[in-house]
Amino acid sequence: MYSIILAGLILTSARELTLEAAQSAGSARTVNSRPSNRELPFAQTKKLLDSRNDREILEGLRKVISMMYRSKPCLPFFSAVIKNVASPNIEIKKLVYIYLLHYAESEPDLALLSINTIQKSLSDQSPQVRAMALRVMSGIKVPVISQIVSLGIKKGCADMSPYVRKAAALAIPKCYRLDPNTLPQLLDYLSILLGDKQYYVVGAAVNAFLEVCPDRMDLIHKHYRGLVRKLVDMDEWGQLATLNLLIVYARKCFPIRTKKVKKNKSKGFYEDEASEQEDEYSGEEVQVLHPDLELFLKACKPLLSSRNSAVIVSTARCFLHLGTSEYIDAAIGPLVALLRSPLDIQQVAMNNLVAVCLVRAESFVKYAGHFLVRATDPPDVSRSKFEILTLIFPHCEPHMKEMILSELEHFTRAADTALVQESVRAIGRCAQNESTASMRCLRLLLDQLSSQDGGLVADSLTVIRHLIQQNPQAHVQTVIRLAKNLDTTTNSEARASIVWLVGEFSGLPEEDNIAPDVLRILAKGFADESEAAKLQIVLLAAKVYLHYLIRTSPPQTEALANAPSTQTVEEASIQISAPAEENGWQDTYPLPSTDQPATEPEKDSTHPIPLLWTYVLHLTRYDTSYDLRDRTRLYRALLSDPHSTQLASLLLLAPKPVPHTPSPSENRKDLLIGSSSLVIGVEAAGIDGVMGYEGLPEWVKEGEEPDAKLRDEVGGKEAHGEKKDMPAARELDKAIEKKGLGKIGVGGAKDKTLDDWLAEEEGSEEGSTEEETESESEEESSEDEESESEGGEEGDRLVN
């Protein structure tokens, strides 16, 4: 009988293998004749789905899923697919769940018929089936089943398998989106899952917390230290979510505390002779980290070796916004290492490096070699490298400064115009950050004036103008050299910059003053100049004529005009107010009409400067530019009245502030590193960042932080009255210390050694033997006395 059954089983398995071989052979023969994903007719596909053979059902489901992903209409198969949800075959169950998630919203009534079967799967023996059932139940977007999903999550939270508990954590946000009224129940489930012992369950729970209730920091207090300990073991997604959560938690729960640093204690010849300055404090204050905050920052340090670049950037963000300078320095090296990543990661890493460099530039000096531009670097990466080189330039050694300037000088001769312009601007920022290198930078910029690119010449002149304004007295010859380039310079912005510089030096003595000659040359071709150049030529003419009036005016006005350059506009206005009142000058005065000739002061009418001024006024009178005509009317009104000369000096000859060109990424300084707003920039993202950007909250004030006892872990074994596992030796030591047997002597001078224990044991044995002998002798004597007493009594009776 047994042999017959065995033969039947062998024949059945052979038949199945033959069918599979025939099917594979048939598919191999037809692979060249027709595509493998050929659509079957509706009736044939439905027949496969209604079959009792698992292989045919599986084939039909594969055809349906293939059609679904190719956007073919698959809704007519809904009833035929859903009835296979109770199949014990896990492959069939997976495909049915995929189909159900895709079309449940289209057929909610039919989808509800499968809920009972899915609920039964929550009690399946396989944890994979239980987790899959919970995932599908929460993914069906039918609000009616929200309470059923909540009960399923509750059951999943108490499951023995961590895989199912992770699925329960991922189902919490889906249930909340189905019905927000289930939030109180979901918060209880979240609190349980956040305290789970498995790190990959905790990572999913943190993701759910950030999506459901990111402001409920009171739920994190008792799990804070557990999250910190599990941070290293989590997967990358869990680490990112936990870092984002804990950085906000630290800002809201740990206030900034600082302390003054003591001066170095200088002691005398002997160590016990302290100096008088032992208790003095220096003015420097350092940040004191909260113990729990320091625990978090120390737990983040291993994450700097992560293989995921996003984890490294998030860790650097924690160090930058929470830690001290030592933690920031530790994060710079891993960030620089990201430059060996693909190009897309390089660009993001460079933006984050620039943001850190704006805060801590001196720590980037030892990595300066990594920021030399390569030929394969894209333009954005090259621009960011130039910016970092200019930021670290003031903190470098002389040989390093020479290397940076040589690098920038090399790229001023590059073929890419945008790269050349960026290198010129970088040279200007180096010069303004380090005054000792300004002359070298100025020579490099003057070499660019012979370029055929007008935009490059204009950028170079803008930087040169800024350098000249830093020390005008030392650059008189530079201005003369620039004025000679007016014959060859064609760019309108470049010509306007040169004319403005000549006007700033129009107050020099006559033997060194080139402003009148430059004005005479420019007036000849005034009609052919651009509007920007015309505005500066009119301003130059006004300044030259004003200096002429000052030289021919009373000494008081000349002294006012020759005031030192450090004088502010407010101080000059105070000095002008007294003479203006004496001369009867008022704030409002009639402006001369454009149809009437300007009223010239009674000076030498044959002098070239008044003639030039009058000529320029006539040239601008009929110009097509409204701005130019209005500006000319203003200058003419100021200079036509002798009583307004002081006001003209205040407006035209006022000391100019020294310009400071900020770093290109200065406006991104307040954006969070690792955010897309930092990469896009303020120009594209706006001041508040892109939609969805959230900055860090402010530090909690001292005294308003939550109690530190809330972070004591109460979910462990000790909370339930159970003792933790402890080695027997440690328990014995604690018992000895508790009873006071671990010390020798009254004062407890030292612990007992092995010899002491052995000596005590020998002494106790000798004492015990002596006591035994004494007790035996006492017992014998007592027996003798008893016997004697008994014998005496008997003798007395006999005598009687």
Side-chain angles (χ1 to χ4, degrees):
M1 184 66 182
Y2 177 76
S3 59
I4 295 174
I5 296 174
L6 183 62
L9 293 175
I10 293 173
L11 290 174
T12 303
S13 60
R15 177 177 176 274
E16 291 179 355
L17 291 174
T18 304
L19 290 175
E20 290 180 358
Q23 184 178 3
S24 62
S27 61
R29 286 194 303 270
T30 58
V31 68
N32 296 325
S33 60
R34 62 178 179 85
S36 59
N37 55 356
R38 184 176 63 87
E39 296 182 14
L40 297 178
F42 175 80
Q44 188 174 354
T45 305
K46 195 172 184 304
K47 183 178 179 181
L48 290 174
L49 294 174
D50 295 337
S51 175
R52 294 183 179 182
N53 190 351
D54 289 350
R55 187 180 297 105
E56 294 180 356
I57 296 174
L58 193 60
E59 180 67 20
L61 287 173
R62 286 171 180 167
K63 295 293 182 181
V64 172
I65 298 300
S66 175
M67 294 169 59
M68 183 181 72
Y69 282 117
R70 285 181 290 150
S71 301
K72 300 293 183 181
C74 300
L75 193 59
F77 301 106
F78 194 90
S79 58
V81 172
I82 291 303
K83 69 180 182 182
N84 293 310
V85 72
S87 174
N89 191 329
I90 191 171
E91 296 297 330
I92 295 177
K93 197 181 289 289
K94 286 180 181 179
L95 295 178
V96 172
Y97 284 165
I98 292 173
Y99 181 88
L100 180 61
L101 289 175
H102 196 272
Y103 287 106
E105 288 185 84
S106 301
E107 293 287 344
D109 296 333
L110 293 177
L112 291 176
L113 298 177
S114 63
I115 295 299
N116 292 332
T117 306
I118 297 175
Q119 275 187 298
K120 292 179 182 178
S121 299
L122 293 176
S123 303
D124 195 271
Q125 294 181 355
S126 172
Q128 185 180 6
V129 174
R130 297 198 301 269
M132 189 166 52
L134 184 58
R135 192 179 301 116
V136 172
M137 185 187 297
S138 61
I140 297 176
K141 299 177 182 179
V142 180
V144 182
I145 64 171
S146 60
Q147 293 297 330
I148 300 177
V149 176
S150 177
L151 293 176
I153 294 173
K154 181 180 180 180
K155 189 174 182 179
C157 291
D159 198 279
M160 296 295 293
S161 172
Y163 185 71
V164 181
R165 297 200 299 272
K166 181 179 180 181
L170 295 175
I172 289 177
K174 301 177 183 178
C175 182
Y176 177 73
R177 286 193 292 268
L178 281 178
D179 187 6
N181 295 325
T182 59
L183 181 61
Q185 308 168 17
L186 299 179
L187 292 181
D188 296 337
Y189 306 153
L190 265 178
S191 181
I192 296 173
L193 294 173
L194 286 172
D196 200 280
K197 294 181 180 180
Q198 296 294 334
Y199 51 86
Y200 43 86
V201 177
V202 175
V206 171
N207 275 300
F209 177 86
L210 291 176
E211 190 169 349
V212 174
C213 53
D215 297 330
R216 290 292 303 273
M217 292 299 165
D218 54 305
L219 299 177
I220 306 297
H221 293 319
K222 59 183 178 181
H223 305 300
Y224 173 78
R225 292 169 187 165
L227 291 174
V228 171
R229 286 196 299 268
K230 299 181 184 74
L231 181 61
V232 180
D233 298 323
M234 293 180 185
D235 59 289
E236 287 85 353
W237 294 109
Q239 287 173 349
L240 290 173
T242 307
L243 288 173
N244 293 335
L245 171 63
L246 294 184
I247 189 175
V248 177
Y249 180 87
R251 283 293 192 105
K252 291 184 176 181
C253 300
F254 303 131
I256 294 181
R257 295 173 181 173
T258 58
K259 69 174 182 179
K260 291 185 178 180
V261 181
K262 283 186 177 181
K263 291 182 178 180
N264 294 329
K265 297 180 181 180
S266 58
K267 297 189 176 182
F269 184 77
Y270 299 101
E271 292 184 356
D272 55 349
E273 295 179 359
S275 65
E276 299 178 354
Q277 299 179 351
E278 183 175 355
D279 296 331
E280 292 184 1
Y281 288 86
S282 63
E284 183 181 1
E285 292 187 355
V286 296
Q287 182 180 356
V288 180
L289 297 177
H290 191 279
D292 284 334
L293 177 58
E294 192 170 5
L295 176 68
F296 169 53
L297 294 177
K298 287 182 179 179
C300 290
K301 278 190 174 181
L303 300 183
L304 294 174
S305 303
S306 175
R307 61 184 179 181
N308 193 316
S309 57
V311 175
I312 296 175
V313 174
S314 297
T315 307
R317 174 171 56 190
C318 293
F319 288 170
L320 180 63
H321 297 289
L322 299 179
T324 57
S325 57
E326 292 79 6
Y327 287 99
I328 299 176
D329 295 344
I332 293 174
L335 284 176
V336 174
L338 294 179
L339 297 180
R340 296 192 292 267
S341 305
L343 291 178
D344 53 346
I345 298 179
Q346 283 187 32
Q347 182 176 354
V348 177
M350 283 304 305
N351 285 283
N352 291 282
L353 281 168
V354 171
V356 179
C357 190
L358 288 170
V359 178
R360 187 83 179 162
E362 59 273 13
S363 301
F364 282 79
V365 174
K366 58 182 179 181
Y367 302 104
H370 294 80
F371 302 110
L372 300 179
V373 180
R374 300 180 180 179
T376 57
D377 288 338
D380 292 337
V381 175
S382 303
R383 192 180 302 112
S384 300
K385 286 185 175 182
F386 282 155
E387 186 173 358
I388 291 181
L389 290 177
T390 56
L391 289 173
I392 67 177
F393 184 79
H395 308 282
C396 294
E397 298 293 332
H399 69 280
M400 189 68 68
K401 293 180 181 178
E402 186 68 23
M403 183 195 72
I404 293 175
L405 289 178
S406 300
E407 174 79 2
L408 297 177
E409 181 184 4
H410 169 73
F411 283 98
T412 57
R413 298 186 294 269
D416 189 0
T417 306
L419 194 60
V420 174
Q421 292 180 353
E422 197 61 39
S423 62
V424 167
R425 294 168 186 162
I427 291 173
R429 293 196 298 271
C430 289
Q432 78 176 9
N433 293 334
E434 185 66 27
S435 58
T436 57
S438 59
M439 297 305 297
R440 166 85 187 274
C441 296
L442 184 61
R443 288 194 298 270
L444 295 178
L445 295 172
L446 289 174
D447 294 340
Q448 304 302 318
L449 299 180
S450 58
S451 175
Q452 300 297 325
D453 186 2
L456 175 60
V457 174
D459 290 339
S460 302
L461 280 170
T462 302
V463 177
I464 291 171
R465 176 167 59 85
H466 292 172
L467 295 180
I468 292 175
Q469 285 184 258
Q470 292 179 358
N471 189 8
Q473 290 78 13
H475 296 92
V476 176
Q477 298 300 322
T478 305
V479 175
I480 296 174
R481 179 179 175 182
L482 292 176
K484 294 179 180 179
N485 289 329
L486 282 172
D487 297 334
T488 58
T489 304
T490 58
N491 185 270
S492 58
E493 297 295 333
R495 294 181 66 84
S497 296
I498 295 175
V499 175
W500 185 88
L501 279 174
V502 173
E504 286 296 299
F505 287 84
S506 59
L508 295 175
E510 293 184 1
E511 58 274 8
D512 297 330
N513 196 349
I514 62 170
D517 292 332
V518 173
L519 177 61
R520 176 180 56 81
I521 297 170
L522 293 173
K524 294 179 181 180
F526 184 83
D528 299 328
E529 297 285 350
S530 63
E531 183 178 353
K534 287 179 180 179
L535 288 172
Q536 296 302 326
I537 291 172
V538 172
L539 179 60
L540 173 62
K543 289 180 179 179
V544 170
Y545 184 62
L546 178 59
H547 282 293
Y548 168 75
L549 294 178
I550 291 173
R551 285 195 295 268
T552 57
S553 295
Q556 182 181 1
T557 307
E558 185 177 359
L560 177 64
N562 294 332
S565 59
T566 58
Q567 184 183 25
T568 62
V569 175
E570 290 79 5
E571 295 173 353
S573 62
I574 292 174
Q575 294 181 5
I576 289 174
S577 60
E581 293 175 358
E582 294 175 0
N583 296 331
W585 179 77
Q586 299 178 357
D587 291 341
T588 59
Y589 57 89
L591 294 177
S593 173
T594 55
D595 298 325
Q596 299 177 358
T599 305
E600 301 294 342
E602 296 180 0
K603 302 293 179 182
D604 187 5
S605 59
T606 61
H607 197 279
I609 292 179
L611 294 176
L612 275 175
W613 169 243
T614 306
Y615 181 66
V616 172
L617 290 178
H618 287 295
L619 287 174
T620 58
R621 187 172 182 178
Y622 299 104
D623 196 87
T624 57
S625 173
Y626 290 98
D627 190 14
L628 181 61
R629 295 203 302 267
D630 292 341
R631 194 77 60 89
T632 306
R633 290 191 191 100
L634 173 63
Y635 297 152
R636 181 172 55 190
L638 286 174
L639 300 178
S640 60
D641 190 357
H643 298 294
S644 61
T645 306
Q646 296 175 351
L647 181 60
S649 300
L650 177 64
L651 294 178
L652 298 178
L653 305 180
K656 310 297 188 299
V658 178
H660 178 79
T661 305
S663 186
S665 300
E666 190 71 27
N667 53 4
R668 307 186 190 184
K669 189 175 181 180
D670 297 331
L671 296 175
L672 282 178
I673 66 172
S675 62
S676 57
S677 298
L678 179 68
V679 178
I680 296 174
V682 177
E683 297 80 5
I687 300 176
D688 298 330
V690 297
M691 185 179 297
Y693 171 80
E694 293 182 2
L696 290 179
E698 296 294 332
W699 288 94
V700 65
K701 295 181 180 179
E702 185 75 25
E704 298 181 3
E705 72 275 11
D707 190 2
K709 294 181 180 179
L710 295 174
R711 287 185 287 275
D712 294 340
E713 297 180 79
V714 295
K717 293 183 179 180
E718 293 182 353
H720 302 285
E722 302 178 7
K723 294 183 179 180
K724 292 183 178 180
D725 296 335
M726 186 180 298
R730 191 176 299 175
E731 289 185 355
L732 180 61
D733 293 340
K734 284 192 173 183
I736 292 173
E737 292 177 359
K738 185 176 181 181
K739 294 182 179 181
L741 300 177
K743 305 293 181 182
I744 296 178
V746 180
K750 62 178 182 178
D751 295 338
K752 291 183 179 181
T753 61
L754 181 61
D755 297 334
D756 297 334
W757 285 103
L758 294 175
E760 283 188 1
E761 290 178 359
E762 292 176 358
S764 62
E765 289 177 358
E766 292 177 356
S768 61
T769 53
E770 291 177 357
E771 290 176 357
E772 289 176 357
T773 54
E774 290 177 358
S775 62
E776 289 176 358
S777 61
E778 289 177 356
E779 290 176 357
E780 290 176 357
S781 61
S782 62
E783 290 176 356
D784 293 341
E785 290 177 356
E786 291 177 356
S787 60
E788 289 177 359
S789 61
E790 291 176 355
E793 291 176 354
E794 291 178 355
D796 292 340
R797 286 195 297 270
L798 289 174
V799 170
N800 294 330

